[in-house]
Structures are given as structure tokens and as C-alpha cells.
Amino acid sequence: LALAQHFLEVYARETAELAAAVAAIHARGLAHGAIDLHHVVRGPGRLVLLLPRASDDVAAPSQAADLAALAALTAASGV
């Protein structure tokens, strides 16, 4: 039970970290455009949201698409 509680706490923290990173981008009037497992990396003690490269296939990123991708990522992957 303690291990399950630990994983729930980590999941909640990582979800909040990722949501805060996306909110910070959106607060500046920008959109990320590639929120997926290729752009989220687990670092020591935290998540890192990598910016897409110019060569990534990201056409006209939108904040709405970012939020949909964030929801799908956290629901499907346990991030």
C-alpha cells in the first residue's frame, strides 16, 4: 500500500509540473505544439518539457491542441 501511495504522489506531482510548464508557455501567448512522450523527459526529481525542434512536424501549434495533448498524455501514460 505504501508503494502504491508513493506512485500516486509521484504521478500527481509530475502531472502538476507538466501542467505548470504548459501554463507558463501559454501565459506568454505561445503554444508548445508537440506535447508527447518524445518531449517529456524524467530528470532527477522532476519532469522536463523539451521544446520541439524546427525539424519536428509541428504545424501551427495552438494552446487548445496543447491542452488536449496534455490531457491525452497524462491519461494514457501515467505521467
Side-chain angles (χ1 to χ4, degrees):
L1 186 59
L3 186 59
Q5 181 63 32
H6 170 75
F7 284 124
L8 288 174
E9 290 169 3
V10 169
Y11 174 79
R13 186 189 78 243
E14 289 181 345
T15 299
E17 288 174 357
L18 191 53
V22 173
I25 293 168
H26 290 180
R28 288 161 181 77
L30 303 171
H32 187 277
I35 298 173
D36 56 33
L37 289 177
H38 300 287
H39 293 93
V40 177
V41 178
R42 280 191 172 95
R46 65 181 186 160
L47 289 181
V48 177
L49 179 60
L50 304 174
L51 295 175
R53 298 172 301 182
S55 62
D56 288 346
D57 189 24
V58 178
S62 73
Q63 292 181 358
D66 281 355
L67 295 176
L70 177 62
L73 178 65
T74 57
S77 70
V79 170

